[in-house]
């Protein structure tokens, strides 16, 4: 059942990174500016992030399967709208529908794991889920580039819609939710919203959100938006060559998340690892801003992909920081922060690229430096704001109402 749920997450990964490989043909077809391209990519992530609180409520009250089966068809519809778009507004509408449809895709996997596996196995299993779900990133590398070059960018979105329909059907047929208890049936919307208020009253929530806004966003800004145009414009790569680089990043990501899950140092040292990985990733982006040459730039991008697996440790940090009755909502808030961060990063870097171009500054240098700076800001917030009190929260969860 977990593997079937991961198939929906894999399609979510494909949709959120499609803008990167689609950037050149969309710019050619619609005459998009860098800022419009950034907003196109950001539209998915804003619409993905905005309903996360409601997705968490739905999962806590109705279960993972019911939630994803009800919402995921919007992703299929959104892909079809994008594929048939005749102008920029319809491109944005398609991205919005797809983002809402994909909103519960990974959250249902995380909650399923937290409910069906012991706490001490959460990081390893969740890391494996992240790794397997990264197969979706492979779709938006060389395969999607090949479809675009030999057919069209519209055919690429039609293919993604077909894959999403197959994933939805598999989830509907093969996944079973746990029986709902009387307590779950008694929860109402106002009660669930009060649960979010309880979560935000905990002092460590803001520190967790502070880094979540920028950590995954940094990788997604590179892999999901700027990698393809950077390699084409800086170094003359073809679309398929950039697709090959994207595939390499995706394969590393598939191994990175499970690796960090297996290497999880435990609650006492985990936050130190998270901070170190965030700062090291920022250093990679500063290196890319210096335009070090094609080979070294690709190597730095690969290093960013390898380090991106530390998000597994962030999920484990969230899982250990809140009692079991708040798991769905805590994961929803964390996921919302991550994807609001992605949307903000892609929108802001689009504006930064346009501003740099107007001032005759190499736009990719400005974009890479800005991403590194945002990551440093997130690391600073994570370090200075209060940390979770310790594993007492997790222990109390065993007796939580």
């Amino acid at each position: 059942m977990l593997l079937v749920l991961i198939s929906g997450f894999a399609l979510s990964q494909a949709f959120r990174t499609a803008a990167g490989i689609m950037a050149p043909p969309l710019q050619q077809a619609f005459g998009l500016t860098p800022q419009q391209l950034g907003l196109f990519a950001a539209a998915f992530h804003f619409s993905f992030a905005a309903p996360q609180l409601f997705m968490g409520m739905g999962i806590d009250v109705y279960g993972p399967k019911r939630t994803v089966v009800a919402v995921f068809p919007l992703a299929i519809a959104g892909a079809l709208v994008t594929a048939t778009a005749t102008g920029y507004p319809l491109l944005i509408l398609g991205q919005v529908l797809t983002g809402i449809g994909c909103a519960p895709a990974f959250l249902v996997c995380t909650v399923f794991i937290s409910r069906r596996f012991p706490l001490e196995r959460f990081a390893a299993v969740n890391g494996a889920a992240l790794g397997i779900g990264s197969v979706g990133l492979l779709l938006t590398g060389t395969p999607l580039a090949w479809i675009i070059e030999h057919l069209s960018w519209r055919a690429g979105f039609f293919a993604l819609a077909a894959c999403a329909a197959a994933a939805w059907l598999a989830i509907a047929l093969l996944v079973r939710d746990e029986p709902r208890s009387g307590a779950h049936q008694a929860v109402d919307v106002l009660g669930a919203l009060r649960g979010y208020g309880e979560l935000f009253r905990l002092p460590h929530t803001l520190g967790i959100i502070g880094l979540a806004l920028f950590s995954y966003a940094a990788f997604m800004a590179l892999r999901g938006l700027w990698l393809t145009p950077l390699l084409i414009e800086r170094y003359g790569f073809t679309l398929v060559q950039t697709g090959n680089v994207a595939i390499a990043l995706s394969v590393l990501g598939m191994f990175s998340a499970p690796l960090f899950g297996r290497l999880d140092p435990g609650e006492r040292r985990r936050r130190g690892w998270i901070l170190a990985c965030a700062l090291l990733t920022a250093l990679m982006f500063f290196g890319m801003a210096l335009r070090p040459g094609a080979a070294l730039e690709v190597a730095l991008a690969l290093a960013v992909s390898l380090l991106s697996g530390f998000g597994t440790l962030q999920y484990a940090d969230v899982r250990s920081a809140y009692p079991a009755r708040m798991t769905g909502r805590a994961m929803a808030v964390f996921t919302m922060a991550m994807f609001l961060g992605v949307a903000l990063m892609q929108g802001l870097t689009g504006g930064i690229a346009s501003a740099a171009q107007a001032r005759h500054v190499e736009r990719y240098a400005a974009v890479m430096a800005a991403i590194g700076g945002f990551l440093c800001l997130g690391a600073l917030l994570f370090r200075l704001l209060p940390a979770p009190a310790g594993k007492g929260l997790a222990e109390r969860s065993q007796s939580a109402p």
Side-chain angles (χ1 to χ4, degrees), residues 78-370:
L80 295 175
V81 169
T82 307
T84 56
T86 55
Y88 187 64
L90 284 176
L91 286 179
I92 296 296
L93 175 62
Q95 287 289 89
V96 168
L97 289 173
T98 304
I100 295 172
C102 290
F106 185 62
L107 191 57
V108 295
C109 299
T110 302
V111 174
F112 184 93
I113 293 166
S114 71
R115 291 178 178 176
R116 305 289 184 110
F117 292 86
L119 179 62
E120 61 272 13
R121 294 188 62 198
F122 178 83
V125 178
N126 201 53
L130 281 166
I132 297 168
S134 295
V135 168
L137 300 179
L138 300 181
L139 296 177
T140 53
T142 308
L144 188 57
W146 187 92
I147 290 174
I148 293 169
E149 285 206 337
H150 289 81
L151 298 172
S152 69
W153 64 267
R154 296 183 188 276
F157 277 110
F158 278 123
L160 290 174
C163 292
W168 176 85
L169 184 62
I171 293 169
L173 294 177
L174 300 176
V175 176
R176 299 186 307 277
D177 277 330
E178 292 175 304
R180 283 183 290 172
S181 66
H184 276 160
Q185 293 170 353
V187 175
D188 60 9
V189 172
L190 289 178
L193 289 174
R194 283 194 295 271
Y196 281 117
E198 179 186 0
L199 187 147
F200 278 103
R201 284 194 296 272
L202 295 171
H204 56 266
T205 297
L206 291 181
I208 289 171
I209 290 174
L211 182 56
L213 283 170
F214 302 109
S215 53
Y216 186 59
F219 172 70
M220 286 304 300
L222 177 66
R223 172 62 180 84
L225 181 58
W226 295 112
L227 178 69
T228 295
L230 182 152
L231 292 177
I232 289 175
E233 293 185 27
R234 271 189 172 180
Y235 304 112
F237 281 39
T238 67
L239 190 61
V240 170
Q241 284 174 327
T242 63
N244 292 336
V245 176
I247 284 280
L249 263 68
S250 303
V251 170
L252 268 183
M254 290 177 63
F255 289 102
S256 175
L259 177 63
F260 274 93
R262 299 292 296 178
L263 295 177
D264 179 21
E267 192 172 343
R268 183 181 296 273
R269 298 167 55 203
R270 184 186 295 133
R271 289 176 69 85
W273 280 44
I274 291 171
L275 185 63
C277 289
L279 292 173
L280 189 55
T281 303
L283 187 62
M284 301 297 120
F285 279 102
F286 290 137
M288 294 178 72
L290 298 176
R291 192 171 182 167
L296 187 52
E297 190 129 14
V298 169
L300 289 171
L302 292 172
V304 169
S305 182
L306 183 61
L307 287 168
S308 69
F310 84 87
T312 303
L313 302 183
Q314 290 178 277
Y315 270 105
D317 184 50
V318 173
R319 175 64 184 88
S320 64
Y322 300 96
R325 61 188 172 84
M326 298 173 68
T327 298
R329 277 158 283 184
M331 291 295 182
V333 167
F334 177 72
T335 305
M336 181 184 71
M338 281 203 310
F339 286 96
L340 279 177
V342 173
L344 288 170
M345 184 86 81
Q346 294 188 332
L348 288 173
T349 54
I352 289 167
S354 292
Q357 192 171 14
R359 290 167 173 78
H360 306 291
V361 175
E362 207 263 350
R363 60 183 177 182
Y364 300 111
V367 166
M368 295 300 116

